[in-house]
Amino acid sequence: MYRILRNEKLTENIYKMVMAGDTSAITAPGQFINIKLTGRFLRRPISVYDYDGETVTIIYKVVGEGTQQMAELAVGEELDVLCGLGNGYDSSKSTKPLLIGGGVGIPPLYNLAKKLLLDGQQPTVILGFNTKAEIFCEQEFKALGIDVLVTTVDGSYGIKGFVTDAMDGLDYDYFYTCGPMPMFRAIERTAKTSGQYSFEERMGCGFGACMGCSCKTKYGYKRICKDGPVLEREEIVW
């Protein structure tokens, strides 16, 4: 059981929740937790934004009844949470890493950026949004002391266009990304190096038992919740 310490609104439909509980199962950036909600049959899988020895922080988007229920939870309430799920990013692949996040794909890149910095690497981050009103986490990444590029589709802030418009001319030898599939396809056409994609997928159990989130790779079928959510560029079948 995890106790809610904070549950605050960041933008119109983006929330940040901090929970106290056992985080020993989290071993790599990019892993996720699976939250049981009262009256809901399936748990809600949410990427880990950050964690320490006593707390785990998530950033989530209200998109339906389940996440709306999460947004209404009060400080002090307790949640049944499966923690440290999935395989996460392998942060040992790069020397000049580029992190690319779109919308709610951005949160897991924050803990990855911290890990890369601890390993002596200096990442660059691209954050993609539709418009200025949707922007979150920009200042948190900048506070780490890394270069942050922000794109907005409508040009209301930062670079006008998509995350791929910010990739031109950047010096990197590996990329890590999380976000929607259209963004992945654009990155796949643009990126010049190897990299890792963290996939968003509907899940049943969240730990590989139900096979509901299986996807085909060049090396056979893999379960996004167990063998992923992170897959390497070379194994993905687009």
Side-chain angles (χ1 to χ4, degrees), residues 2-9 15-20 60 69-79:
Y2 289 68
R3 181 169 52 87
I4 298 174
L5 302 180
R6 290 165 55 192
N7 192 21
E8 58 190 24
K9 191 173 187 178
Y15 286 75
K16 181 178 184 179
M17 181 185 291
V18 182
M19 293 173 284
Y60 63 97
Q69 185 175 337
M70 286 176 57
E72 296 169 358
L73 294 171
V75 170
E77 290 192 61
E78 291 192 338
L79 290 171

Side-chain angles (χ1 to χ4, degrees), residues 10-11 14 29-31 46-50 57-61 89 99-114 125-131 134-142 144 146 148-152 163 176-180 183-184 198 200:
L10 300 183
T11 71
I14 300 292
Q31 290 181 293
I46 309 289
S47 296
V48 173
Y49 168 73
D50 201 12
T57 302
I58 59 172
I59 292 178
Y60 63 97
K61 182 178 183 179
Y89 293 105
L99 281 54
I100 312 164
V104 286
I106 289 169
L109 299 179
Y110 179 76
N111 189 251
L112 173 61
K114 291 176 66 175
V125 178
I126 302 175
L127 309 178
F129 303 93
N130 289 313
T131 187
E134 297 179 358
I135 294 173
F136 63 93
C137 283
E138 178 191 9
Q139 298 307 317
E140 286 81 354
F141 277 101
K142 286 184 174 179
L144 296 178
I146 59 181
V148 180
L149 302 173
V150 178
T151 67
T152 52
V163 293
Y176 303 89
T177 185
C178 185
M183 186 188 85
F184 282 0
S198 180
E200 301 171 348

